[in-house]
């Protein structure tokens, strides 16, 4: 297996189309992501059974500084579905210590080397997580009873408000790089009880942070949906006929035969 980059435009004495090998490996490599703020930094993973691999790695586009981000220290520990925060400073990922038992969204700050773990319940665990550009909110797409968390009531789009443990909220960064712990306050945004989780919803925030966008087959066909982050005023709440909404935005086309 070879990890490589392809130059799209001429530069640095290289022609467009130049292929630069970064890493030769016998491991199964995947999930390549460029840093949103540093074009010379790539995150990738070692694929396979999560409990048997140290998954999350960084490498520079010159092939240097190949670095493991999270090393397992527990039998059946898993970490994955990693992603960059919008500022490029922090890598976030799903962490379970051990698998299917204790659930975290974990972060590693590339500048301070500080680790932050937010705890969440079995039902709140999500296949994918995402974060707003300012880092103030997380979202999750939930999961059904056959996913790794085996949740009994996990089929929701979630909004999460991260809360550090009280003594850490205003305290200094640990100089020993000890983990900063906290939890998520969860809010249920969309009921996905009729969603088939063989299709993963994959939540993301809009740039203005006012909506969570996801995909779903809860009405049969797969469509893209958005739900507002802000709560409606109690007097303004009206029941939503989501099926009618789907039909309005996806009209049935009628074939007209030529005369």
């Amino acid at each position: 297996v070879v990890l490589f980059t392809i130059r799209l435009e001429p530069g640095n004495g290289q022609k467009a189309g130049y292929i630069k090998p970064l890493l030769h490996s016998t491991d199964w490599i995947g999930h390549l992501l460029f840093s949103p703020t540093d074009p010379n930094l790539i995150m990738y993973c070692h694929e396979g059974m999560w409990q048997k691999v140290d998954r999350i790695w960084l490498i520079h586009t010159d092939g240097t500084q190949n670095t493991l981000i999270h090393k397992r220290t527990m039998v059946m520990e898993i970490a994955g579905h990693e992603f960059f925060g919008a500022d490029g400073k922090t890598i976030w990922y799903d962490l379970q210590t051990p698998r299917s038992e204790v659930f975290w969204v974990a972060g590693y700050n590339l500048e301070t080397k500080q680790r932050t773990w937010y705890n969440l319940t079995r039902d709140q665990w999500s296949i994918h997580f995402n974060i707003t550009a300012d880092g103030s909110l997380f979202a999750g797409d939930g999961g059904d009873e056959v996913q790794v968390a085996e949740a009994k009531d996990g089929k929701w789009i979630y909004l999460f408000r991260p809360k550090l443990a009280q003594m850490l909220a205003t305290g200094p960064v640990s100089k020993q790089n000890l983990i900063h712990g906290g939890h998520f306050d969860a809010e249920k945004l969309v009921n996905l009880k009729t969603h088939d989780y063989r299709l993963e919803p994959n939540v993301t925030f809009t740039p203005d942070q006012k909506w969570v966008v996801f995909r779903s087959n809860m009405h049969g066909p797969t469509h893209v949906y958005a739900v507002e982050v802000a709560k409606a005023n109690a007097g303004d709440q009206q029941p939503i006929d989501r099926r009618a909404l789907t039909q309005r935005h996806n009209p049935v086309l009628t074939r007209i035969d030529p005369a």
Side-chain angles (χ1 to χ4, degrees):
V1 177
V2 180
L3 180 62
F4 61 90
T5 58
I6 301 176
R7 179 165 287 281
L8 301 181
E9 297 179 350
N12 295 335
Q14 300 168 350
K15 297 180 180 179
Y18 174 76
I19 297 176
K20 178 179 179 56
L22 305 182
L23 179 70
H24 292 263
S25 176
T26 58
D27 296 306
W28 176 16
I29 290 174
H31 202 207
L32 276 67
L33 295 169
F34 274 98
S35 163
T37 56
D38 183 352
N40 298 310
L41 185 63
I42 298 173
M43 179 164 57
Y44 72 95
C45 77
H46 286 180
E47 297 281 12
M49 298 178 68
W50 288 12
Q51 66 268 25
K52 293 186 177 181
V53 296
D54 288 327
R55 175 181 166 100
I56 307 168
W57 294 75
L58 288 178
I59 192 168
H60 283 73
T61 53
D62 61 1
T64 64
Q65 300 184 52
N66 188 38
T67 306
L68 177 64
I69 296 303
H70 181 93
K71 184 172 180 60
R72 293 170 297 128
T73 59
M74 180 184 295
V75 174
M76 293 300 290
E77 177 179 340
I78 65 173
H81 281 175
E82 57 282 350
F83 62 97
F84 281 104
D87 61 4
K89 295 180 180 180
T90 304
I91 292 171
W92 297 98
Y93 52 97
D94 171 21
L95 174 64
Q96 298 175 32
T97 56
R99 180 184 187 273
S100 304
E101 293 294 335
V102 183
F103 305 92
W104 311 86
V105 171
Y108 175 70
N109 188 296
L110 300 177
E111 294 182 351
T112 66
K113 314 303 181 187
Q114 181 62 59
R115 296 185 184 274
T116 304
W117 293 9
Y118 292 112
N119 184 242
L120 63 165
T121 69
R122 182 178 300 276
D123 283 342
Q124 293 163 2
W125 173 85
S126 298
I127 301 173
H128 299 100
F129 298 93
N130 217 316
I131 189 172
T132 53
D134 67 1
S136 63
L137 296 171
F138 288 78
D141 56 4
D144 62 17
E145 61 278 0
V146 302
Q147 303 291 337
V148 65
E150 301 176 352
K152 301 303 182 184
D153 183 26
K155 300 178 73 171
W156 296 87
I157 298 296
Y158 285 103
L159 184 70
F160 298 117
R161 293 177 172 84
K163 303 289 185 182
L164 283 174
Q166 186 173 359
M167 69 288 294
L168 296 173
T170 58
V173 170
S174 166
K175 296 189 181 302
Q176 294 83 29
N177 291 330
L178 299 178
I179 296 165
H180 284 188
H183 70 279
F184 279 161
D185 285 342
E187 179 184 343
K188 295 175 178 177
L189 296 183
V190 182
N191 189 335
L192 294 184
K193 66 179 181 180
T194 58
H195 177 83
D196 182 348
Y197 268 87
R198 286 176 292 184
L199 176 80
E200 298 173 352
N202 276 298
V203 287
T204 187
F205 286 94
T206 54
D208 63 7
Q209 306 185 170
K210 294 182 178 180
W211 298 82
V212 175
V213 179
F214 62 100
R215 60 181 184 171
S216 178
N217 52 32
M218 57 184 165
H219 298 314
T222 299
H223 295 303
V224 176
Y225 296 86
V227 58
E228 284 187 292
V229 171
K231 292 182 179 181
N233 293 327
D236 295 338
Q237 291 180 351
Q238 297 292 333
I240 299 174
D241 186 340
R242 300 191 185 278
R243 186 174 297 277
L245 185 65
T246 300
Q247 292 173 348
R248 185 169 78 243
H249 289 283
N250 297 276
V252 176
L253 299 181
T254 302
R255 177 180 175 181
I256 301 176
D257 294 323

